[in-house]
Amino acid sequence: MFSTKEMPSPSSLFSAFASITASVMFLQSMLHQILPQQLRDYLISVLQNLFKAHTPMLTFVFNEDNELGGLNDIYYAAGVYLETLRGPNTKRLNVSKSPKEVKGLIFRLEDGETVTDLFDGGIELHWTFVCSKSDKDSSEKRYYELSFHNKYEDKVSNSYIPFVLDRAKAIGEEKRVLKMHTLNNSYKGIGWQSINLDHPATFETLAMDLNKKDDIMNDLNRFVRRKELYKKVGRAWKRGYLLYGPPGTGKSSLVAAMANHLKFDIYDLQLANVIRDSDLRRLLLATGNRSVLVIEDIDCSVDLPDRILQGEEEKKSDHHQNHDKNSIAGTFLTLSGLLNFIDGLWSSCGDERIIIFTTNHKERLDPALLRPGRMDMHIHMGYCTYEAFKQLASNYLEISGDHHLYGEIQGLLEEAEVTPAQVAEEFLKYENADSALEEFVKLLKGKKIKDDECEVKTDENTIVMV
C-alpha cells in the first residue's frame, strides 16, 4: 500500500497527461511531414492486417473503377441495392435528384456509414461506404467494404454478389425513365435522338377486351422469361406483333402500354425517312436491347422499290429491267432489306427485342411480312366494345360501378360503330358523368340512323344480274 505522501497530486497527473498528449501530437505531426503518403498508408495497412489476423472476418473492397480503368459494375450495383437496406441506425445519407434518367430521389450512404444485410438464412454482411482523400493531389477514392465471416467466402462470391447485381438491375429498371427514340437527320447522317417517354397508358387503363388484354400480357411475359429456350433452339430473342384496324382504335396506346409493362424503350422507325438498306442496318444496330421497335402505318409509310419494280417489269426490256433493279436495290431501301433484319441474319444482332408493325389495312401488306417468325401475333384493333366502353367511362368519368344508361348503351354499341378515340373525345367535353353518358347515347343513336341510311342507299344502288 502507498502512503499518502507517495500518491501524486491531481495537478501532477494533469501535467503528465498534457505532456504525453503534446508529445503524441508532435510525433504525429513529424510523421506526417517526414513520411510520404504511400509509406503512411503502408504502415496503416500493416497494422490493420495484424489486427485482422486475430479475427475471423474477411473484407471485400469494391472500388469505383475496375483495374482496366472502366466502371466497376459491383460498385454501382451496391449503391443501388444498399438504398433498400437503410434502417434506424443509419445516420447520414447522400440525397440527389436526376431530372432525366431516374424517377424519384436517389439515396446513397455517406462516408463512414455502415448497414447490415442478412442473406441465406442469417449470414451477416456489413457494408461500409468509404471516401478517402489524398493529401498529395486532393483526389478522392470511393469504395464499398463488405465484411463477413471468412467461412462464408464461397457463398458470398458465388451467390450473394450475383444476387446484389440482379437486385440492383431490377431496381434500376423499375426507377429508370423510359425513352422514346425518333429519327434525326443531321450533317452526320440519319440517327436516333431521344426524349422521355411519359405516356401514361397501361394495361389496367387500356380500353380493350379483357380476354385480349390477358392474351397479350401473357404472351409478353412468356417471351421475356424464355431467353434460354430461344438460345437452345437457335432463334433470335425477339417477337413480332402486327396491330391492324381502323384509325383511332388504340394502336398507339397499346404500344405504349406494352413498353410500360416491359420497361422497354421505344424506337419509332419512320421508313419514309430511310433511303438505303445500309442506313436501315446502321439504325437498327444502334437500337438497344430490351427495346420496342415500332413501324407505324407500314402499308402507306413508304413505297418499297421491290414493289415498284414488279409493276414496271412489263414496260421495260430485259436489259433495262436488270440494270434498274440492281441499281435501285443497291441504292434504296428494299423490302428484302427490311425482311432480312426482321427475320434474317441481322435479326440476331440484339436481345429482347419487340418489333411492332401497325396498319389500317392488313390486306394491303405483302404476305412476306405476315408469316410467323416475322409477325408472330396478329392483333385486331376493332371498334369500341362494351367492355372497352366501361373502361373508358372509368378512366374519364370515374364511374366504378354500373349506370342506368349502361344497358341502352350496350345495345347501341352492337349496332353503331364508334372508335375508342371517339368515345374518349366525347367524354372529355363534359365534367358531369350523367351529362356525358346522355350525350353519348344521342351520338350512338345518330350514328345508327346514319349507318341505316347508308345501308338503304347501298341496297337501292345494287344491280342484280340474272
Side-chain angles (χ1 to χ4, degrees):
M1 297 292 296
F2 292 100
S3 64
T4 307
K5 295 181 179 180
E6 294 175 340
M7 290 291 295
S9 64
S11 59
S12 300
L13 290 173
F14 179 79
S15 298
F17 177 76
S19 177
I20 294 172
T21 302
S23 300
V24 170
M25 293 178 63
F26 176 76
L27 180 60
Q28 185 180 23
S29 176
M30 290 296 295
L31 289 175
H32 274 274
Q33 294 180 9
I34 297 174
L35 298 179
Q37 176 69 33
Q38 293 180 344
L39 182 56
R40 293 203 308 271
D41 293 341
Y42 173 75
L43 292 175
I44 292 173
S45 66
V46 169
L47 292 175
Q48 290 177 340
N49 289 332
L50 288 175
F51 176 76
K52 291 179 180 179
H54 301 285
T55 179
M57 299 298 289
L58 179 65
T59 299
F60 285 172
V61 177
F62 306 111
N63 293 313
E64 186 173 10
D65 300 323
N66 59 34
E67 295 297 328
L68 300 178
L71 300 178
N72 185 353
D73 289 343
I74 303 178
Y75 173 88
Y76 288 96
V80 175
Y81 174 68
L82 294 180
E83 179 181 342
T84 65
L85 298 182
R86 68 179 191 271
N89 294 328
T90 305
K91 303 301 182 183
R92 302 177 70 234
L93 292 170
N94 184 298
V95 184
S96 60
K97 175 73 173 69
S98 174
K100 294 183 178 180
E101 305 300 331
V102 181
K103 299 176 184 176
L105 299 177
I106 302 172
F107 296 89
R108 295 293 183 267
L109 296 180
E110 266 289 82
D111 183 23
E113 287 291 327
T114 298
V115 293
T116 300
D117 192 14
L118 296 177
F119 179 71
D120 194 22
I123 301 176
E124 280 198 7
L125 303 110
H126 306 282
W127 287 91
T128 303
F129 177 68
V130 182
C131 180
S132 62
K133 295 183 179 181
S134 172
D135 295 337
K136 184 176 181 180
D137 54 7
S138 298
S139 62
E140 287 186 346
K141 182 180 180 181
R142 295 181 293 184
Y143 55 91
Y144 286 100
E145 292 183 346
L146 175 60
S147 300
F148 52 91
H149 198 289
N150 55 23
K151 69 179 180 180
Y152 298 122
E153 180 179 358
D154 288 341
K155 185 161 288 189
V156 172
S157 300
N158 300 322
S159 299
Y160 181 68
I161 292 178
F163 163 77
V164 171
L165 290 169
D166 291 341
R167 283 291 298 129
K169 180 180 179 182
I171 295 169
E173 286 295 328
E174 186 66 29
K175 299 188 68 172
R176 183 173 64 91
V177 175
L178 300 184
K179 295 292 182 179
M180 173 79 168
H181 302 264
T182 57
L183 294 182
N184 176 44
N185 280 302
S186 66
Y187 70 94
K188 295 182 180 179
I190 191 169
W192 296 109
Q193 66 177 7
S194 65
I195 58 174
N196 289 349
L197 177 64
D198 294 322
H199 201 294
T202 64
F203 279 107
E204 288 72 25
T205 62
L206 200 62
M208 180 185 285
D209 179 75
L210 294 178
N211 291 329
K212 187 176 291 186
K213 282 199 288 188
D214 288 341
D215 289 343
I216 297 171
M217 284 191 290
N218 291 335
D219 192 75
L220 292 171
N221 294 335
R222 184 165 53 248
F223 165 74
V224 296
R225 66 172 180 261
R226 280 186 159 184
K227 178 179 180 179
E228 294 304 321
L229 176 62
Y230 277 83
K231 183 178 180 180
K232 177 182 177 182
V233 300
R235 290 191 58 177
W237 194 15
K238 65 177 183 62
R239 187 109 176 122
Y241 295 84
L242 174 67
L243 312 184
Y244 65 97
T249 51
K251 292 186 285 294
S252 297
S253 294
L254 176 56
V255 171
M258 294 169 75
N260 285 327
H261 178 73
L262 295 172
K263 304 300 180 184
F264 283 12
D265 286 347
I266 292 179
Y267 288 82
D268 182 22
L269 179 62
Q270 303 97 27
L271 288 182
N273 296 329
V274 182
I275 300 175
R276 302 174 181 84
D277 283 346
S278 58
D279 292 333
L280 178 65
R281 285 196 299 270
R282 183 162 50 83
L283 286 169
L284 296 177
L285 288 173
T287 60
N289 294 337
R290 297 177 60 81
S291 60
V292 177
L293 176 68
V294 182
I295 303 177
E296 293 191 275
D297 299 322
I298 182 61
D299 57 297
C300 59
S301 62
V302 65
D303 292 322
L304 295 175
D306 288 7
R307 297 177 180 174
I308 297 174
L309 287 170
Q310 292 173 6
E312 296 178 349
E313 286 181 350
E314 297 178 358
K315 301 178 183 179
K316 299 180 180 180
S317 66
D318 291 341
H319 173 75
H320 288 147
Q321 288 176 24
N322 293 334
H323 174 76
D324 290 343
K325 187 171 182 178
N326 291 334
S327 175
I328 292 178
T331 305
F332 296 105
L333 174 66
T334 62
L335 178 61
S336 61
L338 178 62
L339 296 180
N340 191 36
F341 179 81
I342 296 174
D343 195 32
L345 291 175
W346 289 98
S347 66
S348 61
C349 299
D351 278 340
E352 252 180 316
R353 298 270 180 83
I354 299 292
I355 302 175
I356 300 177
F357 283 79
T358 72
T359 179
N360 298 332
H361 304 282
K362 180 183 178 181
E363 68 279 0
R364 297 180 185 176
L365 298 183
D366 194 305
L369 279 169
L370 301 178
R371 72 168 178 80
R374 289 170 179 163
M375 296 295 106
D376 303 293
M377 191 173 186
H378 297 193
I379 303 170
H380 179 244
M381 308 294 291
Y383 290 104
C384 188
T385 63
Y386 179 60
E387 289 294 332
F389 156 77
K390 289 199 297 183
Q391 182 64 62
L392 290 169
S394 174
N395 295 344
Y396 288 85
L397 306 178
E398 298 183 347
I399 299 176
S400 56
D402 288 331
H403 191 277
H404 69 275
L405 291 175
Y406 274 12
E408 183 178 4
I409 290 174
Q410 183 176 7
L412 289 170
L413 283 173
E414 295 175 354
E415 301 177 349
E417 294 181 339
V418 292
T419 65
Q422 289 175 300
V423 178
E425 185 61 31
E426 189 68 20
F427 287 167
L428 282 173
K429 297 177 182 178
Y430 307 95
E431 295 183 1
N432 180 270
D434 291 335
S435 300
L437 293 179
E438 289 170 1
E439 293 300 319
F440 183 59
V441 169
K442 294 179 182 178
L443 173 69
L444 291 177
K445 289 180 177 179
K447 288 190 69 65
K448 182 179 181 300
I449 294 173
K450 187 179 295 185
D451 292 342
D452 291 342
E453 291 176 350
C454 290
E455 290 180 7
V456 171
K457 290 181 180 179
T458 301
D459 292 339
E460 291 175 350
N461 294 329
T462 300
I463 299 177
V464 180
M465 301 297 292
V466 179

